[in-house]
Amino acid sequence: MKIALIGATGNIGSRVLNEALTRGHSVTAIARKTAALDARPGLNVQAADLHQPAALAPVLAGHDAVVSAVHFLASDFGKLLAAVRQSGVKRWLMVGGAGSLEVAPGLKLIDAPGFPEAYRAEAAKGGEFLEALKAQAADLDWSFLSPSAMIVPGERTGKFRLGTDTLLSDANGDSRISMEDYAVALVDELEQPKHIRQRFTVGY
């Protein structure tokens, strides 16, 4: 599979890159700081401006899927959508946030008591991106993968649960996933799509 990965040097993007390359996929890594990416079999590195759809679209063209792994506050949904549309690529998988997941009927994590203020702006923007996908991207095979409440560097176990719109928690009430296992779930979805035009989530 040929994958265009936007934001390949970030915390999540770098792990998605490694997971995809390890599985033998061809990845075009799109990043501002391309010097941070070492040469690897199957890796093509491209610099592109996310805010210039006319320049980004040709970089995305010819791939089987586009993965967006960039901070919501650092990107513009309309411009990303325009670039993906212009590229002709139909499959678009977005690294999502946990804030828009429900912790109780009608109550989102971002609105629950104790939600960290430091993450509120990014979480709110992520919720806006999800709603925009639902409203504006019906012509694309998009998916939005939300992590658990806590996503940190850790072990690649390949053992986790998937859900839809409700925050997943383990038997101790902890909601967490390693960045490595998040990447496994994302590449699984690329290889065997099961959540077309849906948000889904991953956790232990």
Side-chain angles (χ1 to χ4, degrees):
M1 178 181 292
K2 295 179 65 177
I3 302 166
L5 175 58
I6 303 171
T9 59
N11 283 330
I12 306 300
S14 62
R15 287 163 172 84
V16 172
L17 174 63
N18 185 65
E19 182 69 25
L21 290 176
T22 299
R23 297 196 197 188
H25 297 296
S26 173
V27 181
T28 297
I30 302 164
R32 290 177 298 173
K33 300 177 181 178
T34 56
L37 293 163
D38 296 327
R40 294 175 63 180
L43 175 61
N44 174 37
V45 178
Q46 292 279 346
D49 187 345
L50 305 186
H51 297 278
Q52 298 294 331
L56 180 57
V59 179
L60 303 180
H63 291 84
D64 299 305
V66 172
V67 176
S68 299
V70 290
H71 287 292
F72 298 114
L73 291 173
S75 52
D76 180 286
F77 178 82
K79 291 176 180 177
L80 280 175
L81 176 62
V84 175
R85 277 202 178 119
Q86 290 171 27
S87 76
V89 180
K90 292 297 184 183
R91 184 71 171 120
W92 185 15
L93 211 158
M94 186 173 290
V95 172
S100 57
L101 289 166
E102 288 193 340
V103 294
L107 178 64
K108 296 179 180 178
L109 178 63
I110 191 175
D111 298 319
F115 187 86
E117 284 300 320
Y119 301 117
R120 187 172 297 279
E122 177 73 10
K125 198 69 173 179
E128 292 175 11
F129 269 57
L130 175 57
E131 294 308 311
L133 280 170
K134 293 177 179 178
Q136 302 176 38
D139 57 317
L140 299 174
D141 294 334
W142 63 265
S143 299
F144 185 100
L145 177 53
S146 290
S148 292
M150 181 177 293
I151 178 168
V152 294
E155 184 182 357
R156 182 196 186 281
T157 70
K159 298 178 181 179
F160 45 76
R161 295 179 295 143
L162 298 180
T164 52
D165 292 314
T166 302
L167 187 75
L168 295 175
S169 298
D170 64 17
N172 297 319
D174 295 325
S175 177
R176 60 187 182 88
I177 188 72
S178 72
M179 293 178 179
E180 288 74 9
D181 276 340
Y182 177 95
V184 173
L186 189 145
V187 179
D188 283 350
E189 176 67 21
L190 285 175
E191 292 180 344
Q192 298 184 359
K194 296 178 180 178
H195 302 92
I196 299 295
R197 300 187 192 92
Q198 295 178 14
R199 183 258 291 283
F200 67 115
T201 186
V202 56
Y204 296 127

